[in-house]
Amino acid sequence: MLEKISSVKNSKVKEWVKLKTNNGRKKYRRFFLEGRHPVETALVEERQYEYLIVEEGFDLASLEANVDEDKLIVVTKEVSKHIADTVHEQGIFLIGYVEDAVYEMPNDTTGQWLLLDNVQDPGNIGTMVRTADAAGFTGVIFGSGTADFYNPKILRAMQGSQYHLQLKRLNLQKWIEACHQAHQAVYGSILDEHAQSYRDIDAPKDFSLIMGNEGNGMSPELVKATDCNLYIPIKGNAESLNVAVAAGVLMFGLVS
């Protein structure tokens, strides 16, 4: 029998709300995904999930994916608004599982990897993940200080690209060491006109690119650990580029 929830005091509803916090996700090992496109992408990619939640009246037939009715829960408009992380909710949510593999070093570090050092803005992170996806990158490594990619705002901003590449939460120093042991290049990005222009780089097929904090850039330790730190020449009077824009320029520049 299809489950329907009409009270915001329901135990499941209380748990779902907690999943919008770091502590809640750590406790329940679940994450909260909201929005038609991100949820539909997860379903199309056949990712494991605990519940698919829809507001009553939602047209399930319009989804381009099969729905497991055993995992389907219908909620009222009141509950939908209560659990939503957006002002104008779309009436569809998914409760997914936090995978232990995201904290494990992959066996293979070949390919192109974007590394995020203390990057915190959800919009910037989402844009960079989507751009890495578009540029054909293998994965994105979330380093120390970087926001949790299970954050609902970041999940929405990634727009499903998280299912097209590998996302990892790892120590960037250890990642760099593993790359160097495998004789793979590691590039940094710094705001210094005396650094090397990315246009002068003939990148190998296996490399990592580090993008630093929105205001402070890369940590000094990582700046010293790279093979080469890159600079984007600026022709106009702007002092710098937004980190997501800079990442896009560098990623497509290095793989072209």
Side-chain angles (χ1 to χ4, degrees):
M1 183 176 179
L2 186 65
E3 183 175 0
K4 182 175 180 179
I5 297 177
S6 58
S7 172
V8 297
K9 296 182 180 180
N10 180 279
S11 60
K12 285 190 176 74
V13 173
K14 292 180 178 179
E15 180 178 315
W16 298 339
V17 171
K18 292 177 182 177
L19 297 183
K20 291 186 281 186
T21 68
N22 285 331
N23 288 337
R25 291 189 291 274
K26 289 178 181 178
K27 178 179 179 179
Y28 296 106
R29 307 296 293 169
R30 305 284 190 275
F31 67 87
F32 179 87
L33 183 63
E34 174 179 354
R36 182 189 178 95
H37 182 65
V39 170
E40 191 169 39
T41 301
L43 295 175
V44 169
E45 294 289 336
E46 298 183 347
R47 296 301 172 117
Q48 293 295 318
Y49 65 95
E50 184 176 28
Y51 298 118
L52 173 65
I53 307 157
V54 296
E55 185 180 312
E56 52 189 356
F58 185 90
D59 184 12
L60 285 170
S62 67
L63 294 175
E64 296 182 5
N66 295 322
V67 174
D68 184 346
E69 293 191 359
D70 291 336
K71 298 180 179 180
L72 180 64
I73 297 179
V74 176
V75 298
T76 61
K77 182 74 171 181
E78 180 187 14
V79 172
S80 180
K81 284 185 171 294
H82 182 73
I83 64 175
D85 193 53
T86 60
V87 177
H88 304 291
E89 83 284 355
Q90 297 178 333
I92 181 168
F93 316 88
L94 181 142
I95 306 301
Y97 297 105
V98 172
E99 300 176 359
D100 292 335
V102 302
Y103 303 104
E104 300 170 356
M105 181 77 74
N107 294 324
D108 186 0
T109 58
T110 59
Q112 300 85 42
W113 296 81
L114 177 66
L115 280 52
L116 305 182
D117 175 33
N118 197 29
V119 182
Q120 299 171 351
D121 181 79
N124 284 336
I125 292 173
T127 298
M128 286 190 281
V129 171
R130 287 161 56 197
T131 306
D133 180 15
F137 269 48
T138 306
V140 181
I141 309 295
F142 286 57
S144 176
T146 299
D148 178 17
F149 53 73
Y150 286 120
N151 178 306
K153 291 182 174 63
I154 294 176
L155 288 174
R156 290 197 304 277
M158 291 192 292
Q159 287 293 306
S161 281
Q162 66 267 36
Y163 298 117
H164 303 152
L165 35 66
Q166 297 183 55
L167 298 187
K168 296 284 185 178
R169 164 71 73 177
L170 299 170
N171 180 288
L172 297 189
Q173 286 282 9
K174 291 184 178 179
W175 177 268
I176 293 172
E177 291 171 7
C179 289
H180 284 163
Q181 288 175 4
H183 305 291
Q184 296 163 359
V186 179
Y187 301 112
S189 55
I190 59 176
L191 187 62
D192 184 348
E193 60 185 12
H194 299 296
Q196 190 159 356
S197 170
Y198 79 98
R199 294 172 178 164
D200 298 332
I201 296 295
D202 184 15
K205 66 181 183 68
D206 301 322
F207 69 84
S208 294
L209 169 67
I210 308 172
M211 301 303 299
N213 176 265
E214 288 88 345
N216 301 318
M218 291 169 54
S219 66
E221 294 79 13
L222 293 181
V223 170
K224 296 177 182 177
T226 64
D227 297 304
C228 180
N229 291 305
L230 308 181
Y231 172 73
I232 300 174
I234 295 177
K235 295 182 178 180
N237 296 318
E239 293 184 359
S240 64
L241 293 173
N242 168 274
V243 66
V245 173
V249 172
L250 294 173
M251 282 190 280
F252 274 95
L254 293 173
V255 300
S256 62

